[in-house]
Amino acid sequence: MISIKSEREIELMKETCLLAANTLQYIEGFVKEGISTGELNDLCHEYIIKQGATPSPLNYRGFPKSICTSINEVICHGIPSYDEILKDGDILNIDITTYYKNFHGDTNKTFLVGNVDPETKKLVDVAHQCMMTGIEVIKPGAFIGDIGAAVAKLAHHHHYSVVKEYCGHGIGREFHEEPQVVHNARKGTGAMMKPGMTFTVEPMINRGKLNSKVLSDGWRVVTRDGSLSAQFEHTILVTETGYEILTLLNNN
Ligand code: MF3
Ligand code: CO
Ligand code: CO
């Protein structure tokens, strides 16, 4: 069942989503060559705790850290580590999920570390466009599959691939709720959107093939062919007329 949030629940979703977005903006200033993903984790953890919230990933199904940090060919679910130091030319996705007043807010962004080559920048730019084009189809009466259809069309136009195994998701009182938002789908498939639904759009776009594998730590997902992967994520509310991006700050 897909939960429909009440006015009050939507207010609380907005609060937790704003906190997640602020955390992502806060950490951006620390993303530089020489810092470790373990240190980035600790900074986010402290920031979230100070607001009276908790980081949703910590101990979620055994995940050991407070944020996910996914570098280069890591598609998602990278575990922060003090041994993993950012280098010039890396791309780094930081995924923040906060739990505040019983609601989760989820957002992520791929950052450029120092001088990134133009081809890689293009992948990151197109991954952002893929998320936005998926979001733009959202309105009551549209289908969840319409999102993935729009995402895949744009990704394939650029000869990139779309990861299938990891999806967007309903979000609210639970971190992952129904529906699943598949990012490579057919138009008109899946559940129909209704006002009050909240879910994420978070396409993972690979420069090479779509195939992925999970590393021996049981979490990190990488591209099988070692190609680079980029991702962006927002939490969205379906409104009476369209959508609202709950994890978007006014100043970016
Ligand atoms: N935040 C991720 C998502 O976008 C999920 C991370 S699960 C974790 O859905 F356990 F790795 F934290
Ligand atoms: Co998510
Ligand atoms: Co996320």
Side-chain angles (χ1 to χ4, degrees):
M1 234 216 18
I2 303 178
S3 70
I4 302 291
K5 275 74 179 178
S6 67
E7 285 299 321
R8 177 62 188 150
E9 289 174 320
I10 290 167
E11 270 177 44
L12 295 170
M13 278 301 290
K14 286 183 178 173
E15 288 189 42
T16 189
C17 285
L18 184 62
L19 213 151
N22 280 331
T23 310
L24 197 55
Q25 176 171 275
Y26 161 76
I27 203 59
E28 176 153 21
F30 296 93
V31 176
K32 291 207 172 75
E33 183 180 357
I35 197 166
S36 70
T37 54
E39 291 168 284
L40 294 172
N41 174 81
D42 296 350
L43 288 163
C44 290
H45 182 92
E46 287 305 314
Y47 185 93
I48 292 165
I49 294 294
K50 276 205 184 115
Q51 328 271 327
T54 53
S56 311
L58 188 60
N59 301 321
Y60 177 77
R61 299 190 180 160
F63 191 79
K65 292 284 186 175
S66 300
I67 63 173
C68 296
T69 50
S70 305
I71 299 184
N72 298 338
E73 75 287 355
V74 182
I75 296 173
C76 62
H77 302 168
I79 303 175
S81 159
Y82 301 115
D83 299 330
E84 186 177 59
I85 314 285
L86 301 188
K87 314 186 294 306
D88 186 58
D90 281 344
I91 56 172
L92 166 70
N93 181 280
I94 300 184
D95 193 331
I96 308 281
T97 315
T98 51
Y99 188 59
Y100 185 58
K101 299 185 186 170
N102 303 314
F103 285 84
H104 297 271
D106 194 5
T107 183
N108 78 45
K109 179 172 176 176
T110 299
F111 298 102
L112 308 176
V113 181
N115 300 301
V116 172
D117 73 80
E119 297 251 310
T120 305
K121 269 191 186 158
K122 187 191 159 197
L123 172 73
V124 174
D125 191 48
V126 171
H128 185 262
Q129 289 175 38
C130 282
M131 174 189 66
M132 289 311 300
T133 202
I135 290 171
E136 281 160 10
V137 307
I138 296 172
K139 61 175 185 207
F143 293 88
I144 294 292
D146 300 354
I147 297 169
V151 168
K153 187 175 172 198
L154 181 59
H156 295 157
H157 169 79
H158 290 282
H159 307 286
Y160 296 143
S161 64
V162 181
V163 174
K164 272 205 241 174
E165 291 91 345
Y166 303 89
C167 303
H169 49 91
I171 183 165
R173 291 181 190 275
E174 303 295 329
F175 191 168
H176 294 104
E177 304 182 349
E178 281 184 57
Q180 268 203 47
V181 181
V182 182
H183 298 105
N184 183 353
R186 277 189 305 123
K187 225 172 168 249
T189 61
M192 193 189 277
M193 298 178 204
K194 295 199 174 72
M197 287 183 178
T198 49
F199 51 79
T200 71
V201 176
E202 51 177 303
M204 287 143 261
I205 307 299
N206 297 350
R207 178 121 158 239
K209 296 210 170 72
L210 56 82
N211 311 72
S212 64
K213 65 177 180 200
V214 181
L215 295 184
S216 58
D217 59 24
W219 279 104
R220 257 180 315 159
V221 181
V222 295
T223 57
R224 271 195 181 269
D225 61 9
S227 68
L228 296 173
S229 184
Q231 182 185 23
F232 288 83
E233 173 175 31
H234 274 310
T235 296
I236 312 295
L237 166 71
V238 183
T239 64
E240 295 294 332
T241 52
Y243 64 86
E244 191 175 333
I245 304 178
L246 301 184
T247 43
L248 190 65
L249 300 177
N250 295 323
N251 60 351
N252 69 11

